[in-house]
Amino acid sequence: LGMMDVECITETSAYLMLYNTKNATVEEVERSKGWENALLTVFEDFDPPEGMEIFYTAFRSRDDELSQFAASDTDLMLTMLTFVLLISYSAAVSFSCDLYKSKAIPALAGCTAAVLGCLAGIGLASLFGVKFVPTALVTIFLVLGIGVDDAFVILNAYNLAYLVELARDRVALAMKDSGVGITMTTSTNILAFLIGSSAPYLAIRNFCYFSALGMLMGYIMSNTFFVAFLVLDAKREEAGRLLCFCLPAQSDVEARVEARENKKMQATMQMQATGSHGRNGGATGSHGRNMAATGRNVSNMTMRQTFQGTLAEAQAKNPN
């Protein structure tokens, strides 16, 4: 329209206005943000005449919309309800009527590890200067879901190792079986969010930063806090206690396994000693055989010398 040589515009279906601001320095960026905020305020307060509709947007409009929806009280209530349902479900599916084999408390420890990882990730991102945005609240759901999933994977591997008697060996075998899976899952998720952090939008970029750090800290918490608690619960199960406090220094299972290992060691040492004695006896027999062979050689040599002496005497008496 600016290139048309007209005195006035009498009719048009739409009119687009673009405002380009200069953001070269920090001062200019702040001035542009203030001007943008004032422009949005003008459009919000403007009452267009009848038959006219005004649509306006700015670079920060998407962030403002996400903030408006994420900061509502209803969403916060649903977030808390989801957290309660997740903890209740984890405890319910891990509960058993056999109190010695029930894993409800370790399941709660897995949820706690996920929460600690989420809080640690948010705190670490804030320490690095990442601005908190309302969309980062979704990080709680992601980190909780993946953290609880890691806990269930480790618990399932622990339950499958029921043939192993010692608690420390069962936990070690469970981590050996499940460690690769949860490590690969967490690594791919973190890589995906690091790629997403290159987005130009602040809400999406900071959300990816918070999610990546939250998953990293959740992974660390699952392999430290949760596994340590699982070891304590395994020792409680091994000792036949209801609580994992005041556990004995050595359980009956450990004493039985230690006694069996000692018997195996003694039997092995006895077999080694018997084999060594047999080898020594064989060496003695070989020495005896060598002595007998030497005696036979000496006897044959003596007989040969005697025969040669007799033949020489006969030739001397009868030269022809």
Side-chain angles (χ1 to χ4, degrees):
L1 292 176
M3 298 178 62
M4 297 176 61
D5 187 12
V6 294
E7 295 182 357
C8 64
I9 300 174
T10 58
E11 183 179 356
T12 182
S13 59
Y15 182 66
L16 178 63
M17 299 175 62
L18 296 177
Y19 296 92
N20 294 321
T21 58
K22 187 177 180 181
N23 298 325
T25 63
V26 177
E27 183 180 357
E28 291 174 348
V29 170
E30 294 299 328
R31 188 184 302 116
S32 298
K33 290 181 179 180
W35 180 88
E36 186 180 63
N37 189 25
L39 179 64
L40 293 176
T41 303
V42 170
F43 280 121
E44 289 176 359
D45 298 337
F46 180 71
D47 187 13
E50 184 178 356
M52 178 185 291
E53 291 182 301
I54 297 179
F55 301 93
Y56 56 93
T57 182
F59 188 79
R60 52 170 292 178
S61 298
R62 184 171 299 183
D63 294 338
D64 293 340
E65 291 295 326
L66 292 173
S67 302
Q68 181 180 356
F69 285 105
S72 62
D73 295 336
T74 304
D75 292 338
L76 293 178
M77 292 296 296
L78 291 177
T79 302
M80 297 301 298
L81 179 61
T82 303
F83 183 71
V84 173
L85 290 177
L86 181 62
I87 293 179
S88 302
Y89 173 78
S90 301
V93 298
S94 302
F95 178 76
S96 175
C97 294
D98 188 351
L99 297 180
Y100 298 111
K101 297 181 180 180
S102 178
K103 290 294 178 287
I105 296 179
L108 295 178
C111 295
T112 305
V115 174
L116 292 176
C118 181
L119 296 177
I122 294 175
L124 189 61
S126 300
L127 181 63
F128 290 156
V130 181
K131 182 181 178 182
F132 185 83
V133 292
T135 51
L137 294 174
V138 185
T139 302
I140 299 176
F141 297 98
L142 293 174
V143 177
L144 278 180
I146 296 177
V148 173
D149 177 73
D150 293 345
F152 274 110
V153 171
I154 297 174
L155 277 178
N156 182 64
Y158 175 82
N159 292 329
L160 291 177
Y162 62 91
L163 295 178
V164 181
E165 292 181 299
L166 293 178
R168 61 176 181 270
D169 294 338
R170 289 185 67 182
V171 176
L173 182 60
M175 292 303 299
K176 180 181 178 181
D177 293 339
S178 61
V180 177
I182 62 178
T183 300
M184 292 300 297
T185 302
T186 305
S187 300
T188 53
N189 289 331
I190 292 176
L191 179 61
F193 281 111
L194 289 179
I195 295 174
S197 62
S198 60
Y201 301 104
L202 178 65
I204 299 176
R205 183 172 64 251
N206 288 10
F207 161 73
C208 292
Y209 283 139
F210 280 107
S211 298
L213 290 174
M215 289 184 182
L216 176 62
M217 298 307 298
Y219 172 79
I220 295 175
M221 289 295 176
S222 296
N223 287 276
T224 54
F225 178 83
F226 171 70
V227 173
F229 202 95
L230 180 61
V231 171
L232 291 177
D233 190 78
K235 290 185 176 181
R236 173 200 65 81
E237 179 182 341
E238 183 182 74
R241 299 289 184 89
L242 296 178
L243 298 176
C244 57
F245 303 104
C246 301
L247 296 176
Q250 186 181 44
S251 64
D252 297 336
V253 177
E254 291 178 331
R256 185 172 64 251
V257 172
E258 184 178 355
R260 186 170 65 246
E261 294 296 330
N262 291 334
K263 288 183 180 179
K264 288 183 180 179
M265 186 178 297
Q266 292 176 0
T268 303
M269 294 176 63
Q270 185 175 1
M271 291 177 62
Q272 292 176 352
T274 304
S276 177
H277 179 70
R279 288 192 297 271
N280 292 333
T284 304
S286 177
H287 179 70
R289 288 192 297 271
N290 293 333
M291 292 295 292
T294 303
R296 287 194 298 270
N297 293 333
V298 172
S299 178
N300 292 334
M301 187 179 296
T302 302
M303 291 176 63
R304 190 181 302 111
Q305 291 175 355
T306 302
F307 176 76
Q308 291 176 354
T310 303
L311 181 61
E313 291 177 358
Q315 291 179 352
K317 291 180 180 180
N318 188 9
N320 296 324

